[in-house]
Amino acid sequence: MTTYVWDYLPEYESEKEDLLDAVDTVFRSGQLVLGPSVAGFEREFADYHGVAHCAGVDNGTNAVKLGLQALGVGPGDEVVTVSNTAAPTVVAIDGTGAKPVFVDVREDDYLMDTDQVAAAITPRTKALLPVHLYGQCVDMAPLRALADQHGLALLEDCAQAHGARHGGRLAGSMGDAAAFSFYPTKVLGAYGDAGAVVTADPAVDANLRRLRYYGMEKTYYVVEVPGHNSRLDEVQAEILRRKLRRLDGYVRGRRAVAERYEQGLGDLADRGLVLPSVNEGNEHVYYVYVVRHPRRDEIIKALKRYDISLNISYPWPVHTMSGFAHLGYEAGSLPVTERLAGEIFSLPMYPSLPAGLQDKVIASLREVLLAL
Ligand SMILES: *Cc1c(COP(=O)(O)O)cnc(C)c1O
């Protein structure tokens, strides 16, 4: 049996009754679009973050895109972000007509190097878009200071960081707005596509609600600025409501898996294996468990013989993708990001990962590394 990086079926088996009840609740409600489940989830997700507003949308990419648009980003603007991220972060910027501008990441935690942001700001810069990558928050204080100093919007990409904290504050409660994905693999995952944007600003929230609904106020049927159809689905919203109650438990489960990896693999540092580092003041939620080794490709090949299939998040930095060639980044322009892409790989990680499978991963990786 192959051990996969992610598998939702153990979770489904243990939560089946509640999840099917969620589906039944919506089917019997008589309101299949923007009904009580979307409204309920929005309220509960906002409350979880201690933020006033939440607007559900159809996926995380559109959460970033509409979040940027709601903050006033459009054609001709620049948005500063990282290239070491899921491509949708950058696709979303492109979708607003703005230009993505990349800074490099740091060697130790693979997150946005906030020391490089000031130099990337130009008169066209409209927003900063930090990504709380892999489940750990970017240091927001320097970004807040730069945003205030230059009058920029600050949007958090929280697609990988549900429940993560920085200095005690939840990811999603530190920017002007925050975009979430509930893609099934995420720390809080739906059973299909879903997303949301949280914000403390009622005007930003009102913009989002128009943007996701063709550009209309729902009751007026008049479009002033053409928007999108990016509504959160009622069935997914009800499933997310049920799962939100278990979010802290999912996070505890992921931390327990991470701890077991540390115990089983921590001594392999002298064999070149680098485990995730957690910054002071950060509570990591381990959306993915990213490790690093200079002979990554040989290791992945060897592990296939043990029937262990591993992911790389991400093998191609966004600035090197052909679809973004027009941005003009040469090879070598983001050296840490480019080096990382050749050395990182992700071990299986989900809260219901069976201990036996995890032990097999640890034992196999030990054998492979000791034989390198
Ligand atoms: C998953 C992800 C997205 C996109 O979310 P979708 O729901 O798949 O559209 C955006 N940004 C980051 C960092 C992600 O990991």
Side-chain angles (χ1 to χ4, degrees):
M1 194 177 80
T2 306
T3 302
Y4 292 103
V5 170
W6 178 76
D7 183 2
Y8 72 92
L9 284 172
E11 176 193 280
Y12 179 61
E13 284 307 326
S14 73
E15 300 183 3
K16 195 172 195 166
E17 214 177 310
D18 190 38
L19 295 168
L20 293 181
D21 182 66
V23 175
D24 186 56
T25 299
V26 173
F27 283 9
R28 283 189 292 100
S29 74
Q31 284 176 270
L32 298 177
V33 175
L34 292 188
S37 295
V38 168
F41 174 68
E42 289 174 339
R43 199 172 50 243
E44 290 155 17
F45 200 63
D47 287 349
Y48 179 86
H49 291 91
V51 171
H53 305 281
C54 170
V57 296
D58 51 350
N59 57 62
T61 308
N62 285 337
V64 177
K65 177 174 151 185
L66 272 59
L68 289 169
Q69 290 179 325
L71 290 164
V73 173
D77 295 332
E78 293 177 0
V79 177
V80 179
T81 192
V82 287
S83 173
N84 184 38
T85 182
T89 306
V90 185
V91 170
I93 297 171
D94 184 74
T96 68
K99 181 182 157 200
V101 173
F102 300 117
V103 296
D104 212 346
V105 293
R106 303 195 293 201
E107 195 72 60
D108 52 350
D109 57 16
Y110 319 145
L111 298 172
M112 175 182 258
D113 185 348
T114 53
D115 290 341
Q116 295 188 21
V117 173
I121 293 173
T122 75
R124 288 173 174 261
T125 308
K126 187 81 185 206
L128 307 180
L129 178 51
V131 182
H132 302 315
L133 198 70
Y134 306 144
Q136 175 166 224
C137 291
V138 175
D139 186 4
M140 293 295 284
L143 298 181
R144 179 84 270 169
L146 284 170
D148 290 347
Q149 188 189 337
H150 296 272
L152 310 175
L154 181 54
L155 178 69
E156 299 170 73
D157 184 338
C158 293
Q160 306 194 357
H162 317 68
R165 285 174 192 269
H166 175 69
R169 295 185 68 181
L170 275 168
S173 68
M174 297 180 280
D176 296 320
F180 286 87
S181 164
F182 308 111
Y183 184 78
T185 61
K186 309 290 185 184
V187 177
L188 179 60
Y191 278 70
D193 278 310
V197 183
V198 303
T199 178
D201 185 336
V204 173
D205 184 62
N207 289 345
L208 280 161
R209 285 167 192 280
R210 272 192 300 272
L211 284 165
R212 76 170 179 191
Y213 196 78
Y214 319 115
M216 288 178 188
E217 304 277 343
K218 203 177 166 189
T219 41
Y220 293 115
Y221 301 102
V222 174
V223 172
E224 285 175 15
V225 180
H228 314 273
N229 177 356
S230 282
R231 298 180 292 246
L232 172 60
D233 181 76
E234 191 71 2
V235 174
Q236 298 302 340
E238 187 60 32
I239 287 172
L240 287 167
R241 285 181 93 174
R242 310 297 177 99
K243 290 191 67 178
L244 178 58
R245 295 168 199 153
R246 297 188 279 271
L247 173 57
D248 292 342
Y250 300 143
V251 169
R252 278 194 298 276
R254 286 175 180 272
R255 289 216 181 98
V257 171
E259 242 165 69
R260 206 183 175 93
Y261 277 136
E262 261 160 58
Q263 281 159 12
L265 300 168
D267 63 316
L268 293 175
D270 62 353
R271 294 275 167 166
L273 185 71
V274 181
L275 301 185
S277 79
V278 183
N279 294 327
E280 184 151 341
N282 265 358
E283 291 173 42
H284 203 310
V285 295
Y286 299 102
Y287 166 58
V288 276
Y289 192 86
V290 173
V291 302
R292 179 176 183 181
H293 195 285
R295 292 168 73 181
R296 187 263 318 271
D297 293 341
E298 292 165 71
I299 295 171
I300 290 194
K301 206 167 147 211
L303 282 169
K304 285 225 170 81
R305 288 199 297 273
Y306 295 83
D307 249 350
I308 294 170
S309 133
L310 298 180
N311 266 357
I312 301 172
S313 302
Y314 297 90
W316 299 285
V318 180
H319 72 282
T320 67
M321 295 179 180
S322 54
F324 293 107
H326 62 279
L327 296 175
Y329 287 86
E330 311 265 327
S333 53
L334 298 169
V336 180
T337 297
E338 289 166 37
R339 199 159 53 241
L340 275 180
E343 298 187 355
I344 53 176
F345 58 108
S346 313
L347 304 186
M349 169 58 82
Y350 47 97
S352 53
L353 177 65
L357 287 186
Q358 194 182 0
D359 289 343
K360 177 181 148 186
V361 173
I362 291 170
S364 313
L365 187 54
R366 292 193 69 85
E367 262 182 56
V368 167
L369 279 172
L370 294 172
L372 264 190

